[in-house]
Amino acid sequence: MPVSPHPHEDLLAHLARTTALAPGEAARVVAEVLAYFSETTEEYVRRRHGELQARGLTNDRIFARLGAELAARRVAAPELSVRQLRRLVYG
């Protein structure tokens, strides 16, 4: 049975051609990037809240930063109020 090509074969070839990445390394990088951007808004907010809280930021600063980060994501999330952000984190 023939092996189907990677769904992002053109991107993998581009990365291998323009960087020092071997084809297998390029495939892992693409998989990591796709996984990063496949997070739901809720997953992203919870993860980033935990990361920023671990750095010692207060919720006021965290929620302001999360609002800005969400607006800048490649596939922009809907604008969320501070209350909505809190609900995503704390339920």
Side-chain angles (χ1 to χ4, degrees), residues 33 37 49-50 57 65 74 89:
V33 170
F37 284 112
H49 180 271
L57 274 70
R65 185 165 173 174
R74 182 71 177 121
V89 173

Side-chain angles (χ1 to χ4, degrees), residues 67-87:
E69 288 180 3
L70 287 172
R73 289 199 36 107
R74 182 71 177 121
V75 178
E79 187 171 330
L80 300 173
S81 68
V82 170
R83 181 177 181 193
Q84 290 170 310
L85 291 169
R86 285 182 194 279
R87 286 185 158 231

